[in-house]
Amino acid sequence: MTKNNIKAHILGYPRVGAKRELKFALESFWRKEVPSDDLQNTAKNLRAEHWQKQQEAGLAFITSNDFSLYDHVLDHSVLFGAQPKRFNKKPFGEANPAPENAYFALARGNLEQPAMEMTKWFDTNYHYIVPELANDTQFSINVHDYLSQLDEAQKISKNVKPVLLGPVSFLYLSKARGINKLDLLDGLAQQYVYLLQELQLRKIEWLQIDEPIFALDLDDAWLKAFDRAYSWFRTSRPKLLLTTYFANVSRYQAFITSLPVDGIHIDLVRAPEQLGPWVNAIPSHWVLSAGVIDGRNIWRNDLDKTLALLDPWVKRLGDRLWIAPSCSLLHTPVTLAHEVKLDAEIKSWLAFADEKIIELSIIAKALNNGVDSVAQELAISRAAIASRNQSNRVHDTNVKARIAALSTLNENRVSTFELRAKAQKVRLNLPLLPTTTIGSFPQTPDIRAARAAFKKGDISQAKYDAEMEAHIAYAIAQQEEIGLDVLVHGEAERNDMVEFFGEQLAGYAFTQNGWVQSYGSRCVKPPVIYGDVHRPKPMTVDTASFAQSLSSRPVKGMLTGPITILQWSFVRDDQPRETTAMQLALAIRDEVEDLQKAGIAIIQIDEPALREGLPLQKAAWAQYLAWAVKAFKLSASIARDDTQIHTHMCYAEFNDILPAIAAMDADVITIETSRSAMELLDAFGEFSYPNDIGPGVYDIHSPRVPSVEAMEKLMKRAFDVVPVERLWINPDCGLKTRGWPETKTALENMVSVAKSLREQLA
């Protein structure tokens, strides 16, 4: 038997560490508790650990330059000298800021400048910092940090594959004011040339150059931009592996195969049907990297199925076939090794980043040496796949019956918004420009300590509940003192807006350390939907009723919407996502009904992930939006006319789905607008959004406390777009990551703005 030499590699590895080491190092540095050397040492140790794991698994390369202290797109803004010029001025009190402080100021803002904008990375829950470009942008290469990471990797292995975001995707994903971004392409490509020449001097054989925008609908101008940009890369460079993911990119074969690159990576988890067409299309000298391990989810790979997919093409491609995860493993937790409390059967169905690397090595060994060489590993895989397929705990006949009966259930509110608004005005009696917050208040050290003690069993349920009630009472008292019109209980008892609900729903499993980076130091621990979902008992009614008993002002009941729970969980892959969404919608509907019966007059159903779930290609939008909107309406339509339904959305572009957002028919929507200076609100105005809207007036992801003048300016800008009587005043998002002193000052400023504007309007 002739042995193959099929290479296995990864596109990127999670940055945060198995126990969030990077998060804690970052936050200690930001609090000025440790010097920059400590932060950099933590980062260096993490990188070395990641590379060692790849070496031990026998991967053909160790992948470098996928690590970032905050965000890889922000790193490219710095790498190519595209930092906004407004940050050139040193902030007051920082005569010689550390390089890290200047870098973090871009993402987090400083005393004088707001942070750069942040938005979702395609259809993931990862957020990237949006590059800001202008007509005076002059790209200039700053290679020190990039090459330093590469040098570290080359000391560990001679087979290093660095990662670079491609020039066309970098421009496409950026924001430019008053210019055509493509006018900057040649200047940017020249800087890439300098970097590629440096990599050539360092004897780098392969460079992974990511062009993820091939997953999108591109017009001719952007497609031609690839020819223009890559024409600069014909000489003095490593071999280029053009990396695509998240979609079928076969429709762009003619463009891609004409580029001066040496191979392509394709996502065969999202689009396995594209494998054959690509094998037939690639030039004879190209490699094809097959993304066969799911980089977006945590289910164990069906190794037999994967080998069957690849086997017909092994003889055809030989050593030109590489295997990899579908995308960077950034979107998965690090390892199952620390999951000592996870149910053993469910654990056997899962694979995190480290386990996915092992799966890759098994597939490579089977393809190279024959299946007999991995017979034991294949047997373990088959047993786990069979266990999941046959498990009784996955299916619930009552849930399936409710889903089957959905066709008989009306998903619309009983009355129109106009009639509901009149009933709500009578019940709530709110002033013009009502003030509120989005839901959460600071998760203080005391709150976290109590939660940790409860999880360890150090305090009783009664003691924990009493501590949470004390924090809720404090939040209510602070809001009354500030003068907010509509209050929230502050969510002290909630570890995460999705995990909290998942813990109370059937069909969910939870990890101890399944952390995934959302942005910067912010990590989430998505729960795992492994079976049919339903609500065994009320989840928030007692807490909402307690909070409402403390105030005569309305206190919102706070729920996470079905699409956000779906998007921010690891979702089962053995049934359509639509079916799981409807199961979640029925669970939230039951909760809305019980909150309403308990006398809660305002219920907020957050759906920040609605836009995130949108398919990347427009041909699939209508189908998704139909069931996503149906899920929200199904959860809310049980509400009476005088029960006010709010929803919240943030950090995404909504312009192109406004009809769907309007169709959700929430009485009030709150959105993020402060970083974009109310630009997002323009689209709502042009669309004539019919219901009430609360444009965020300050950025809660920045430590800056906005001034009264700044917030008033934003609200007056909103007056030009939305009728005053339909406007609310609120922050951009929840306040759990902020501290109480800055939170209270900012909200006092916000209430002052509302009072001042009411006087001016009177």
Side-chain angles (χ1 to χ4, degrees), residues 478-515:
Q478 293 301 303
Q479 292 172 83
E480 290 202 318
E481 184 179 320
I482 291 166
L484 290 164
D485 301 305
V486 173
L487 314 186
V488 296
H489 77 282
E491 303 181 13
E493 82 289 4
R494 302 188 186 184
N495 46 6
D496 175 81
M497 66 183 292
V498 171
E499 186 175 9
F500 171 80
F501 289 97
E503 286 175 341
Q504 302 178 78
L505 294 170
Y508 265 95
F510 301 88
T511 64
Q512 291 171 272
N513 293 285
W515 297 102

Side-chain angles (χ1 to χ4, degrees), residues 563-578:
I563 300 303
T564 298
I565 296 179
L566 182 83
Q567 285 296 126
W568 294 357
S569 299
F570 288 122
V571 183
R572 56 191 290 192
D573 58 358
D574 61 339
Q575 71 178 12
R577 291 174 72 86
E578 176 183 354

Side-chain angles (χ1 to χ4, degrees), residues 301-613:
N301 186 270
D302 186 334
L303 298 179
D304 286 324
K305 186 176 179 181
T306 298
L307 289 170
L309 174 70
L310 296 174
D311 186 65
W313 309 108
V314 172
K315 187 174 181 180
R316 177 88 166 267
L317 290 173
D319 298 350
R320 294 193 296 128
L321 175 64
W322 294 6
I323 57 170
S326 57
C327 60
S328 170
L329 297 176
L330 169 70
H331 310 290
T332 64
V334 174
T335 180
L336 280 167
H338 304 306
E339 300 303 329
V340 296
K341 294 184 179 180
L342 187 60
D343 178 275
E345 183 182 26
I346 295 173
K347 184 176 178 179
S348 74
W349 303 342
L350 307 181
F352 292 176
D354 286 355
E355 291 73 35
K356 291 176 186 296
I357 291 175
I358 299 303
E359 288 180 330
L360 269 180
S361 68
I362 295 170
I363 295 168
K365 191 173 181 181
L367 293 174
N368 288 328
N369 302 324
V371 292
D372 290 345
S373 66
V374 290
Q376 183 177 356
E377 292 90 339
L378 291 177
I380 294 171
S381 171
R382 289 172 191 137
I385 298 298
S387 166
R388 184 180 172 209
N389 290 340
Q390 298 163 11
S391 176
N392 292 330
R393 64 202 304 179
V394 171
H395 305 287
D396 186 298
T397 54
N398 292 328
V399 175
K400 294 185 188 303
R402 287 191 78 183
I403 294 298
L406 279 181
S407 59
T408 65
L409 192 61
N410 186 359
E411 69 210 45
N412 298 306
R413 299 284 293 274
V414 173
S415 301
T416 64
F417 169 71
E418 289 75 14
L419 292 175
R420 300 196 308 264
K422 291 177 182 177
Q424 292 160 19
K425 186 173 184 179
V426 170
R427 183 179 184 185
L428 299 172
N429 192 30
L430 296 173
L432 187 69
L433 300 172
T435 56
T436 189
T437 65
I438 303 306
S440 60
F441 272 107
Q443 290 267 317
T444 64
D446 287 347
I447 291 174
R448 291 192 173 96
R451 183 178 298 124
F454 177 62
K455 285 189 173 182
K456 291 177 183 176
D458 294 341
I459 61 174
S460 66
Q461 180 77 57
K463 172 68 172 171
Y464 176 72
D465 290 344
E467 290 205 27
M468 292 303 103
E469 287 189 351
H471 288 292
I472 290 168
Y474 180 80
I476 294 292
Q478 293 301 303
Q479 292 172 83
E480 290 202 318
E481 184 179 320
I482 291 166
L484 290 164
D485 301 305
V486 173
L487 314 186
V488 296
H489 77 282
E491 303 181 13
E493 82 289 4
R494 302 188 186 184
N495 46 6
D496 175 81
M497 66 183 292
V498 171
E499 186 175 9
F500 171 80
F501 289 97
E503 286 175 341
Q504 302 178 78
L505 294 170
Y508 265 95
F510 301 88
T511 64
Q512 291 171 272
N513 293 285
W515 297 102
V516 178
Q517 186 180 25
S518 179
Y519 62 87
S521 69
R522 171 78 169 137
C523 300
V524 294
K525 187 154 58 69
V528 178
I529 304 178
Y530 69 85
D532 290 332
V533 177
H534 66 94
R535 186 197 72 149
K537 62 181 182 179
M539 302 179 285
T540 66
V541 175
D542 288 348
T543 300
S545 298
F546 170 73
Q548 185 62 80
S549 73
L550 301 174
S551 178
S552 59
R553 305 181 189 193
V555 180
K556 290 190 283 190
M558 298 299 305
L559 305 176
T560 302
I563 300 303
T564 298
I565 296 179
L566 182 83
Q567 285 296 126
W568 294 357
S569 299
F570 288 122
V571 183
R572 56 191 290 192
D573 58 358
D574 61 339
Q575 71 178 12
R577 291 174 72 86
E578 176 183 354
T579 303
T580 306
M582 296 308 154
Q583 293 177 0
L584 289 162
L586 288 172
I588 299 302
R589 179 184 177 90
D590 293 344
E591 190 71 10
V592 169
E593 184 175 20
D594 285 341
L595 283 169
Q596 185 172 243
K597 288 177 180 176
I600 303 302
I602 302 178
I603 302 171
Q604 183 169 308
I605 307 173
D606 288 336
E607 282 292 23
L610 184 86
R611 179 67 170 78
E612 175 187 312

Side-chain angles (χ1 to χ4, degrees), residues 175 177 433 655 673-686 693 695-697 708-724 727-729 753 757 760-761:
K175 181 175 184 177
R177 296 182 183 276
L433 300 172
N655 307 32
T673 53
S674 69
R675 284 197 181 192
S676 62
M678 290 285 173
E679 279 186 11
L680 182 59
L681 194 62
D682 290 340
F684 282 81
E686 292 167 8
I693 187 165
V697 293
V708 169
E709 293 75 19
M711 287 192 278
E712 183 168 322
K713 182 178 179 181
L714 287 174
M715 283 308 301
K716 286 184 174 178
R717 169 91 167 76
F719 291 173
D720 297 333
V721 180
V722 177
V724 171
L727 282 170
W728 288 58
I729 301 182
V753 169
L757 290 173
Q760 295 175 43
L761 291 166

